[in-house]
Amino acid sequence: MAARVLHGVNLAGWLTLEPWVTPRLFADSGALDEDALIASIGTKRYRELISEHRRSFLSQKDFTSIASRGFNAVRLAVPWYVFGDAGPDSGPFVGCLEYVDEAFLWAEDIDLKIVLALAVIPGSKAAGTDFAHDREDFSRRREAMLVVLGALAKRYSSRMALAGIEVADGVVAQTRRGFTLSDGVPLHQVRNYYREAYESIRTNAPDVTVILPDAGMPGSWRRFMPPRRYENVWLDSHLYHYRDHIDSVGPTGIRMLSNASRESMRLARKSGLPVMVGKWSASLPFPDSVTTPEGRIALERVYISEQLAIFKSCPAWFFNTWKTDKHLDGWDARVALSSFEWAMLTWAKG
């Protein structure tokens, strides 16, 4: 386990493009992910666009601001093509290893920790949603992902800022309802990948924390990768409720949402692994017409406080996200957490 509790923010939409974070990059293309963006605007224009975006969207100044707000960590999603032409099957995508290197320099200069999370598919379908991988998508890039995880572990294992490596960003497990199968990856394939990913990382980084997404099924990991055999492994739950259907609004609704988070955490802890919260937000499933703007801000503040209390025993949590183009309420830490003082964000360290 990490030497200190990590309270941080995601750096969504920087090294992998996400339209909900930077809609301006997708506005004229009609695309909703990086694959479709390339098809729409062409490889040459895409390369120019993403290079300029990565140079300008986040900088050392952002890392300094993150630390000054009381956070001590960032969760950085890196694409499977992070090594570019030096890595496996990068295709038309542009590598970004130099920015990962810079992130470590910036973090170590101000004592921030970094959790690297391997993003499988270069895009996201909606604000805060996980990537819904189907079997073909996952299988096609599986071997490349294992190679990249090993290479990342080897490159950064000795860096002081490295707090952990997450084997995928937002895997969604396939579920069955009656005769219908949902989108996602069959759970047995997810489990097999996790075991191989652990070995790939551990071979190159004997001590780093290996983090496994719960794949949207927090209660499915009991006795999986037991600590007596697999060392220093965490489970990651993403706790969103902005699409939940609840019967009440106001304080009663907040209580219902908080209880849902508690139940997810209870199920995840049955795994016997430390449980971190890789992504959470302040976004509420209540229509804007239900309350005044001031009243909604007050509800979001209560909701945030409730979640921070639930996460108190977690080794890490990461708000989603540090920065969005439109300063999205409930998602952009600069807005959603602006009224929380440093001590209020870090009191759960104990």
Side-chain angles (χ1 to χ4, degrees):
M1 185 176 292
R4 58 179 174 175
V5 175
L6 305 179
H7 293 158
V9 291
N10 281 272
L11 302 181
W14 182 30
L15 302 185
T16 58
L17 300 186
E18 299 190 41
W20 70 274
V21 177
T22 54
R24 60 186 167 79
L25 299 179
F26 296 83
D28 298 326
S29 68
L32 293 177
D33 59 49
E34 208 163 322
D35 282 307
L37 183 65
I38 295 171
S40 176
I41 67 176
T43 300
K44 180 180 178 181
R45 176 59 186 141
Y46 156 75
R47 287 177 173 266
E48 295 171 348
L49 188 71
I50 196 168
S51 296
E52 173 59 26
H53 164 70
R54 287 172 176 166
R55 282 195 301 268
S56 60
F57 184 65
L58 283 176
S59 67
Q60 187 172 12
K61 183 179 179 180
D62 287 284
F63 275 61
T64 302
S65 295
I66 289 168
S68 70
R69 288 288 298 120
F71 301 107
N72 62 10
V74 295
R75 182 176 178 272
L76 175 58
V78 297
W80 57 269
Y81 54 84
V82 58
F83 288 92
D85 293 339
D89 192 27
S90 62
F93 302 107
V94 180
C96 51
L97 195 62
E98 67 273 25
Y99 292 101
V100 183
D101 287 345
E102 277 197 313
F104 272 88
L105 290 174
W106 298 339
E108 287 167 349
D109 191 48
I110 53 177
D111 197 27
L112 279 181
K113 294 294 184 181
I114 295 177
V115 167
L116 295 176
L118 185 62
V120 186
I121 295 178
S124 173
K125 291 180 172 55
T129 58
D130 291 323
F131 302 116
H133 308 315
D134 61 28
R135 184 183 309 209
E136 288 73 21
D137 288 330
F138 192 82
S139 297
R140 185 170 69 253
R141 294 189 172 126
R142 185 179 188 279
E143 295 306 314
M145 291 158 59
L146 293 171
V147 170
V148 171
L149 284 172
L152 288 170
K154 183 176 182 179
R155 187 178 186 90
Y156 298 111
S157 62
S158 63
R159 300 299 295 264
M160 292 298 296
L162 183 65
I165 299 177
E166 189 157 0
V167 303
D169 186 24
V171 171
V172 175
Q174 188 179 72
T175 59
R176 178 183 292 277
R177 291 187 177 178
F179 296 104
T180 303
L181 287 174
S182 70
D183 292 335
V185 184
L187 190 59
H188 72 277
Q189 291 188 14
V190 176
R191 290 173 177 268
N192 290 337
Y193 168 71
Y194 283 2
R195 293 186 186 98
E196 292 189 51
Y198 173 89
E199 297 297 340
S200 182
I201 294 171
R202 190 60 76 231
T203 298
N204 294 281
D207 301 319
V208 72
T209 300
V210 178
I211 304 168
L212 315 175
D214 72 6
M217 300 181 69
S220 297
W221 305 99
R222 195 166 185 174
R223 293 187 291 275
F224 180 69
M225 297 181 72
R228 65 180 180 275
R229 180 177 174 187
Y230 296 93
E231 298 180 351
N232 204 11
V233 178
W234 292 356
L235 191 66
D236 177 13
S237 287
H238 293 179
L239 297 181
Y240 294 128
H241 300 294
Y242 70 101
R243 287 183 172 177
D244 285 14
H245 297 287
I246 58 175
D247 297 329
S248 301
V249 297
T252 301
I254 297 296
R255 193 175 307 113
M256 295 172 68
L257 297 175
S258 299
N259 287 340
S261 288
R262 288 190 183 90
E263 177 62 11
S264 290
M265 294 295 291
R266 185 188 69 81
L267 292 172
R269 288 185 177 122
K270 286 187 174 183
S271 66
L273 303 172
V275 180
M276 86 171 203
V277 179
K279 293 180 182 178
W280 63 282
S281 79
S283 184
L284 294 167
F286 309 154
D288 289 340
S289 59
V290 170
T291 63
T292 64
E294 293 78 10
R296 191 172 189 88
I297 291 172
L299 285 175
E300 287 183 352
R301 185 178 175 86
V302 173
Y303 183 41
I304 291 169
S305 299
E306 288 280 333
Q307 291 184 95
L308 290 175
I310 293 167
F311 305 158
K312 184 176 181 180
S313 61
C314 293
W317 57 250
F318 295 88
F319 189 85
N320 197 6
T321 183
W322 168 244
K323 183 178 186 179
T324 63
D325 273 352
K326 300 295 185 180
H327 288 73
L328 290 177
D329 292 349
W331 295 97
D332 189 314
R334 301 169 304 166
V335 179
L337 303 180
S338 62
S339 64
F340 284 77
E341 298 299 327
W342 181 88
M344 298 175 72
L345 291 173
T346 58
W347 67 272
K349 288 180 180 180

